[in-house]
Amino acid sequence: MPESTFTFRVEDTLKAAFADAAKQRDRTAAQLLRDFMRSYVVETQSSDPAYDAWLHRKAEAGERDYRAGRLISQEEATAKAAQRKAAILSQHDTL
């Protein structure tokens, strides 16, 4: 795979501290920077805008319910979840 050079400026103290931290982990600063870059690319590419929008809407709905006092106890939530699970499992058994 072809390689290229990536050049950027950073404070001397940060560069030295980063190089020391890398050395303590038997890595070079360049190895760690490549790892960070790969992780960032994977993280940003794995983001699903549709899911993020759905999750944002759910969070806003939960916030509205909370502010309006539409809450149930942990026990009620657990009981409802158990009922849903039982219903799903019973449908699965009849297939």
Side-chain angles (χ1 to χ4, degrees), residues 42-83:
V42 167
E43 179 184 316
T44 58
Q45 288 178 344
S46 65
S47 179
D48 179 359
Y51 173 76
D52 292 345
W54 172 84
L55 185 58
H56 186 74
R57 288 190 307 274
K58 294 297 275 184
E60 286 178 335
E63 179 75 17
R64 284 191 304 273
D65 286 343
Y66 172 78
R67 290 178 189 265
R70 293 186 297 264
L71 306 171
I72 62 173
S73 68
Q74 177 66 35
E75 292 78 19
E76 290 175 282
T78 301
K80 284 185 178 190
Q83 289 172 346

Side-chain angles (χ1 to χ4, degrees), residues 5-65:
T5 301
F6 193 109
T7 305
F8 61 97
R9 295 189 181 280
V10 63
E11 297 87 13
D12 289 338
T13 54
L14 177 58
K15 180 183 176 186
F18 187 73
D20 287 343
K23 187 175 182 179
Q24 290 174 10
R25 290 162 183 79
D26 291 327
R27 307 279 287 172
T28 66
Q31 288 172 318
L32 287 181
L33 287 171
R34 282 191 294 273
D35 290 346
F36 292 147
M37 290 171 76
R38 284 185 197 102
S39 294
Y40 181 79
V41 168
V42 167
E43 179 184 316
T44 58
Q45 288 178 344
S46 65
S47 179
D48 179 359
Y51 173 76
D52 292 345
W54 172 84
L55 185 58
H56 186 74
R57 288 190 307 274
K58 294 297 275 184
E60 286 178 335
E63 179 75 17
R64 284 191 304 273
D65 286 343

